[in-house]
């Protein structure tokens, strides 16, 4: 595994820094003006839009691709351009390099972060064996926990791209149809939940089936993802067609796209399949990543409480396998399509990636720091997801993915 790459941006060399030179994630920021594309380095943001306009570092010599408020035009250039641009950034920011780009640095603390890309479509999967087993056991019993098809293919559903929001956006408790003690009601959800996930961003379009290897090459990068869920709305509506309004309130993502190239040194195998997969789903090489994940709940006016610690390597199907399956019907994929991994859970109590699992459907409430109890989320609760991959003397972080639950609109 590679060591820390040293930068003349001193904060990037600090122990535990989420954004060292090894990372260089892409985002969109503003400092009292229009939105610009930027690259995180240490506690600073490098103004990529400004570098392009000045001719210092241009992804494409013939057109401006970093003037729009998002990285989609850059993604559309393809993998050779992604690699060349990243190499250019490393050269400009490496220790001992020319510091001519210093005027294009702004403080991360002074910036407002925005959606880093335009979400073309959103598909959410159900790819964690432990999560699927926990949820299935609650509703169908241990003998029938997994659906018959689960060990043969990645299960997913098409979500709402329009409800994907950037970290820091408040989440409004939704209304919906709920079965209560007095029958069917239209009321605010009382069983609102978070889901600790990873999101993969499709960087190249496709018009037909992709192999797992091709799908892996088409993924531009990754974000943390919280697919907020109204469990009581979902329970009434999901039979027979699956999630709909219970999942449509909001999906939060972290503001920085960590590129697949930055994560290359953290690749690992998916868990050994319990049953042989069909040829089109078999990975030819390790296509998962060793990324530690955490979810923290902070009540309004209260202390932060760690709810979940798990790892992306618990996922049964990688994002590349999910994308290959998605395209297997001929479904076209677009630049900016977002694939949610599904809730990422481990086998232990403290590694469960949702309140539904942590409280076993609300039957076993959790005691937070300070003594308050939670079965599901209360108004004012803030959920913060974080993640990092650990290297030799450095880590690659994603930036926090946060959202605060607010009361339902009357």
């Amino acid at each position: 595994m590679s060591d820390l790459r040293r930068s003349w941006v001193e904060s990037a060399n600090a122990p535990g820094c989420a954004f060292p030179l090894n990372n260089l994630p892409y985002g969109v920021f503003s400092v009292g003006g229009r939105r610009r594309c930027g690259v995180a380095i240490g506690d600073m943001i490098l103004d990529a839009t400004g570098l392009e306009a000045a001719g210092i570092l241009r992804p494409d010599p013939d057109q401006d691709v970093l003037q729009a408020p998002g990285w989609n035009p850059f993604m559309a250039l393809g993998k050779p351009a992604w690699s060349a641009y990243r190499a250019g950034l490393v050269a400009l920011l490496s220790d001992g390099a020319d510091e001519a780009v210093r005027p294009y640095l702004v403080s991360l603390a002074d910036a407002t972060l925005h959606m880093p890309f335009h979400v073309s479509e959103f598909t959410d999967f159900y790819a964690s064996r432990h999560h699927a087993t926990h949820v299935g056991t609650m509703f169908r019993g241990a003998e029938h926990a997994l659906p018959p098809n689960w060990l043969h293919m990645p299960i997913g559903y098409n979500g709402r791209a329009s409800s994907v929001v950037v970290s820091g956006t408040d989440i409004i408790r939704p209304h919906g149809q709920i079965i209560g003690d007095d029958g069917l009601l239209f009321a605010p959800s009382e069983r609102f939940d978070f889901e600790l996930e990873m999101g993969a961003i499709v960087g190249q379009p496709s018009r037909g089936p992709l192999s797992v290897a091709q799908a892996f090459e088409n993924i531009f990068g990754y974000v943390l993802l919280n697919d907020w869920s109204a469990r009581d709305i979902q329970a009434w509506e999901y039979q027979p067609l699956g999630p709909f309004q219970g999942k449509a309130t909001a999906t939060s993502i972290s503001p920085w796209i960590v590129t697949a190239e930055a994560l290359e040194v953290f690749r690992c195998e998916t868990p050994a399949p319990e049953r042989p997969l069909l040829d089109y789903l078999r990975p030819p090489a390790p296509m998962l990543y060793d990324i530690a994940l955490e979810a923290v709940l902070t009540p309004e006016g209260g202390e932060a409480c760690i709810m979940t610690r798990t790892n992306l390597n618990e996922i049964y199907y990688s994002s590349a396998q999910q994308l290959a399956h998605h395209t297997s019907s001929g479904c076209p994929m677009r630049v900016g399509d977002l694939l949610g991994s599904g809730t990422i859970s481990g086998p232990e109590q403290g590694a469960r990636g949702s309140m539904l699992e942590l409280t076993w459907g609300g039957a076993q409430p959790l005691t937070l720091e300070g003594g308050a109890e939670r079965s599901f989320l209360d108004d004012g609760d803030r959920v913060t997801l974080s993640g990092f991959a650990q290297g030799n003397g450095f880590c690659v972080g994603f930036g926090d993915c946060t959202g605060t639950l607010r009361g339902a609109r009357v």
Side-chain angles (χ1 to χ4, degrees):
M1 185 172 289
S2 62
D3 297 322
L4 172 70
R5 290 177 169 177
R6 298 195 63 84
S7 171
W8 55 263
V9 180
E10 285 300 327
S11 59
N13 306 321
C17 173
F19 306 130
L21 190 57
N22 305 66
N23 191 351
L24 301 179
Y26 301 144
V28 171
F29 74 100
S30 62
V31 182
R34 70 183 182 93
R35 299 179 184 186
R36 308 172 74 82
C37 292
V39 180
I41 176 72
D43 59 2
M44 308 295 285
I45 301 174
L46 183 63
D47 182 355
T49 298
L51 291 180
E52 181 183 59
I56 297 173
L57 184 61
R58 297 183 57 84
D60 188 321
D62 300 319
Q63 61 176 330
D64 290 339
V65 296
L66 299 178
Q67 304 302 308
W71 286 82
N72 298 61
F74 174 80
M75 287 189 268
L77 297 178
K79 193 164 185 177
W82 306 345
S83 294
Y85 185 72
R86 179 177 169 82
L89 288 171
V90 170
L92 289 174
L93 293 168
S94 290
D95 207 11
D98 183 358
E99 297 185 22
V101 299
R102 188 180 291 276
Y104 296 91
L105 288 174
V106 300
S107 172
L108 183 56
D110 295 335
T112 299
L113 301 179
H114 307 278
M115 282 290 293
F117 69 105
H118 170 72
V119 180
S120 299
E121 305 282 354
F122 171 49
T123 303
D124 195 42
F125 285 87
Y126 188 51
S128 166
R129 172 70 179 272
H130 298 296
H131 172 68
T133 300
H134 295 156
V135 174
T137 299
M138 272 183 259
F139 294 106
R140 293 185 296 275
E143 291 186 4
H144 304 286
L146 292 178
N149 56 2
W150 199 94
L151 293 171
H152 297 280
M153 66 179 181
I155 296 174
Y157 71 94
N158 290 313
R160 292 289 303 171
S162 63
S163 63
V164 180
V165 298
V166 73
S167 172
T169 304
D170 283 350
I171 308 302
I172 306 301
R173 186 183 295 273
H175 281 74
Q177 288 196 16
I178 297 168
I179 298 291
D181 293 338
D182 298 324
L184 184 61
L185 305 171
F186 183 75
S189 169
E190 295 183 353
R191 295 164 64 88
F192 201 70
D193 202 355
F194 73 89
E195 290 190 347
L196 171 56
E197 302 191 25
M198 186 70 71
I201 302 163
V202 176
Q204 285 288 279
S206 61
R207 287 292 175 185
L210 297 174
S211 68
V212 176
Q214 290 170 327
F216 185 79
E217 296 298 314
N218 271 27
I219 295 174
F220 175 67
Y222 297 82
V223 291
L224 300 174
L225 187 148
N226 184 347
D227 192 34
W228 305 91
S229 298
R231 301 298 186 185
D232 38 9
I233 297 172
Q234 182 183 1
W236 170 236
E237 73 178 5
Y238 87 103
Q239 301 182 53
L241 293 181
F244 184 43
Q245 293 294 77
K247 296 281 194 172
T249 301
T251 298
S252 299
I253 64 169
S254 51
W256 297 105
I257 303 170
V258 176
T259 64
E261 190 166 350
L263 294 171
E264 177 68 20
V265 295
F266 305 105
R267 284 170 66 171
C268 62
E269 298 275 3
T270 48
E274 182 176 319
R275 297 180 185 174
L277 297 174
L278 297 178
D279 287 346
Y280 82 101
L281 283 175
R282 292 177 184 168
M287 292 185 175
L288 197 56
Y289 301 99
D290 179 4
I291 300 174
L293 301 167
E294 183 177 275
V296 172
L297 190 155
T298 307
E300 189 170 25
E303 299 179 51
C305 179
I306 296 173
M307 306 295 283
T308 305
R309 280 180 172 152
T310 186
N311 195 294
L312 181 63
N313 61 22
E314 296 286 358
I315 289 291
Y316 194 85
Y317 297 104
S318 70
S319 296
Q321 288 171 298
Q322 294 169 15
L323 180 54
H325 181 64
H326 206 329
T327 65
S328 63
S329 65
C331 175
M333 304 302 292
R334 300 173 180 172
V335 173
D337 278 354
L338 177 64
L339 307 182
S341 63
T343 305
I344 304 166
S345 296
E348 301 84 12
Q349 167 71 18
R352 298 174 181 178
S354 66
M355 295 290 285
L356 180 67
E357 297 167 84
L358 288 165
T359 69
W360 208 249
Q364 302 168 12
L366 296 175
T367 301
L368 307 182
E369 301 291 339
E373 289 191 342
R374 289 290 186 278
S375 293
F376 290 92
L377 298 176
D378 281 4
D379 292 348
D381 286 349
R382 182 173 74 249
V383 177
T384 302
L385 309 184
S386 59
F388 68 92
Q390 185 63 57
N392 291 329
F394 72 96
C395 69
V396 168
F398 288 76
D400 289 345
C401 176
T402 67
T404 302
L405 181 62
R406 302 300 182 187
R409 295 191 178 98
V410 178

